Amino acid sequence: MDPYEFTQTVRDDSQQQEMDNDELKRLEKELTPSSADYYGVLNISKKATEEEIKEAYKKLCRFFHPDKHTDEAKKKMAESRFQVIQKAYEVLCNPQKRIIYDTYGEEGLNATWDIGPRYKTTEELREEYEKLARQKREQELENLVQSKAEFQLTVDATQVFDPYEPPVFVGFGQPLQSQKKKRKNPLSFLAKAQAQQLFMRHSFQTQIGPQTHAIVSGSMVSRTGMGGGNIIGTIRHTVSPKLWGEITATTLKPRMISLKSYYSLSQDSFINSSAQVNSIYEPPILSLSLGRRLFSATTGYITYRTGEWSLFGWGGDISQKMDRSSVSLGLAGMHKRGNHFSGEIQTGIMSSHIAGEYTYKLPHQARLRLSCTLSSQGGIMASIGSDHKVSQHIRAGMSMECGSGIIVKFRVSRLGQKIVLPIILSSEFDLRLAFLGAVIPASVAVALDQLILKPRRKRLIKQ
C-alpha cells in the first residue's frame, strides 16, 4: 500500500470528522436557545408542511442520533438534543397537538383535552380547543372563589289530591237543591297547589392565607308571607395535617357564635368537638364525637351532645327547654363496589331514634338511596330516591318520603348550585299516594334514561 495514499486517506477522514464536529456544534447552537420552540428546534417555519417537517427531522437525525457517535461525551450531548428533536417532531406531526401548541404553547400540551377523533377540519378542532380552554379558565375562576347556592321551593299540593268541598247550607225545612256542576279546565286542579315555603342560601369560599379559608354565606326563608334571614361568616384554619378548627358567627338576630375543631389521634381514630354560644346568659351547647376505623372501609363513632343546660343558675330554668342532652352511637362505611351505608342509634331526654341509610351504585353513574328512621317524636319515616348524572357537571334526582305525610322531592345540581322542589302530596299517610309517588317518578326516571340519556351516551361513545 502506498504510504502517501494511506496518509491522505487518514487526513481526509480527519477533515471529514472535523467538518462533522463543526456542523454538530453549529446545529447544537441553533437548537440551544429554547427547547420549547419546536419550530426553532427543527429549523423550520410555522407554515411548514408535513413533508418539510419530516425532511428536517431526518436531516437532524443524521447528526444527533446517538448511534452516529462513538465518543461518550459527544454521544451524551447528542442524546440530550435528540430527545428534544424527537419531542418537537411528535408534536408538529400530530395535527391535534400542533393546533394546541400553536394556540396555547407548550403549557397547553400538558393539559387534558377530551376531544373526539371525528372532527374533520382544522377549524373545527381549533374551535373545540378554544371552547375547552374557556371552560377551563371558568373552572379556575370558580375554584378561586368557590360558590355554592341552594334554592328550595316547597309546594303544598294536598288540595290537588284531597280537595276540600265546603258544605252547602239551606234554610230549615227546605229541600237540598242540586247544583249544576260547572265545566272546568282539565288543568284547573293545578291552581289549587300553593307555595308554602321559600328557602335560599348562598355562600362564597376563598383562601386568605396558606392554610386559612374564609366563607361568607347568606340565607333567607319565607313562609306564608312571613320570614327572615341572616348573614354568616366562617374562618377555617388548618394548624397541621392532624388539626384544624373554625369559628362561625352570625351578624343578624338570632346571633350565634360556633367553634369547631377536628383532631386526628392516629391513622384510625379522630375526635371532633364543637361549642355553640347563643347568649351570654346561658352556657354553650357542647358536642363531642369520638371515632375509630373498625374495618378497612368502616368507621364507628359515639357522640355526646349537652343540649341546653344550666350551671349554678347560669342558664335559668331548663325544664321548659326543648333541646336537651343526647348520646348517639353510629356506624358508616363503604363496600368495594362503592355502595355506602350508615346507621345510628340515639337516646336522649326529649327524643330518641334509630336511623339507617343505604346507597346503591347503579350503572351509568346513577345512585339509589334508601333510608328509614324510627323516632320517638316523628314515628316512622322512610324514603327512597335516586339521582343520575345528566352531563359532566349536572346531576338530577328525585325521592319520596313517607311518614306522617307524603313528600316527593325533585333535585337538580350543577357545580355547587342546587335546586330542590319538595311537593307535599298529603299531610297524612295515604297508601294510594305513596304508590303513585313512587311509581310515577320512577317511571319518569326510566323513560328519561332510555329515551334521552342512553341515546346520548351511545352517541358520545360513537364519537
Side-chain angles (χ1 to χ4, degrees), residues 322-389:
M322 297 300 297
D323 189 1
R324 306 296 294 275
S325 62
S326 63
V327 178
S328 58
L329 187 66
L331 195 71
M334 181 179 65
H335 294 305
K336 294 181 179 180
R337 296 182 178 179
N339 303 329
H340 297 261
F341 65 90
S342 64
E344 184 180 83
I345 300 176
Q346 175 181 303
T347 177
I349 297 177
M350 298 299 295
S351 176
S352 300
H353 69 254
I354 300 176
E357 181 176 328
Y358 187 83
T359 302
Y360 182 77
K361 190 176 181 180
L362 300 172
H364 309 301
Q365 298 184 351
R367 294 175 298 192
L368 177 65
R369 185 178 295 104
L370 304 172
S371 66
C372 183
T373 302
L374 176 60
S375 174
S376 59
Q377 287 187 340
I380 301 177
M381 175 69 70
S383 68
I384 179 173
S386 66
D387 60 89
H388 304 260
K389 186 175 182 180

Side-chain angles (χ1 to χ4, degrees), residues 6 107 113 130 178 237 245 262 291 312 317 324 327 428 459:
F6 175 78
E107 184 180 354
W113 304 91
E130 290 177 353
S178 60
H237 180 71
Y262 172 88
F312 301 112
D317 184 13
R324 306 296 294 275
V327 178
E428 300 177 351
R459 185 174 67 255

Side-chain angles (χ1 to χ4, degrees), residues 135-335:
Q135 293 177 354
K136 183 181 178 181
R137 289 193 298 268
E138 293 175 356
Q139 185 66 36
E140 290 176 350
L141 290 175
E142 185 173 355
N143 293 336
L144 184 62
V145 181
Q146 298 182 19
S147 172
K148 294 183 179 180
E150 181 178 352
F151 177 89
Q152 181 172 310
L153 176 63
T154 304
V155 177
D156 185 0
T158 55
Q159 292 298 316
V160 175
F161 299 96
D162 187 15
Y164 172 73
E165 297 292 342
V168 179
F169 296 96
V170 296
F172 179 77
Q174 297 181 3
L176 182 63
Q177 299 178 357
S178 60
Q179 297 181 353
K180 295 182 180 180
K181 295 184 177 180
K182 298 180 180 180
R183 181 176 296 180
K184 296 182 179 181
N185 189 343
L187 299 179
S188 61
F189 67 95
L190 295 178
K192 297 180 179 180
Q194 297 180 354
Q196 185 184 73
Q197 178 176 293
L198 175 63
F199 171 77
M200 291 189 294
R201 177 173 54 197
H202 201 99
S203 66
F204 297 93
Q205 177 177 337
T206 184
Q207 187 171 358
I208 59 176
Q211 296 178 321
T212 306
H213 289 79
I215 305 172
V216 179
S217 62
S219 61
M220 64 80 62
V221 61
S222 175
R223 184 181 178 90
T224 62
M226 301 178 64
N230 215 325
I231 300 176
I232 306 171
T234 301
I235 300 294
R236 182 179 299 157
H237 180 71
T238 301
V239 181
S240 67
K242 290 187 175 182
L243 175 64
W244 65 265
E246 69 177 30
I247 178 171
T248 301
T250 61
T251 58
L252 305 177
K253 293 182 179 181
R255 291 185 173 88
M256 177 270 297
I257 298 177
S258 174
L259 301 172
K260 293 182 181 180
S261 67
Y262 172 88
Y263 182 69
S264 178
L265 300 174
S266 64
Q267 294 182 352
D268 299 327
S269 58
F270 63 90
I271 178 172
N272 291 346
S273 62
S274 67
Q276 179 179 325
V277 180
N278 296 324
S279 172
I280 61 174
Y281 301 105
E282 59 185 28
I285 299 175
L286 305 177
S287 176
L288 181 66
S289 297
L290 298 173
R292 180 174 177 82
R293 185 169 61 178
L294 304 178
F295 305 102
S296 59
T298 305
T299 301
Y301 64 91
I302 182 172
T303 301
Y304 172 71
R305 191 172 183 275
T306 63
E308 294 177 302
W309 55 292
S310 177
L311 179 64
F312 301 112
W314 183 34
D317 184 13
I318 63 171
S319 60
Q320 304 298 325
K321 303 289 186 180
M322 297 300 297
D323 189 1
R324 306 296 294 275
S325 62
S326 63
V327 178
S328 58
L329 187 66
L331 195 71
M334 181 179 65
H335 294 305

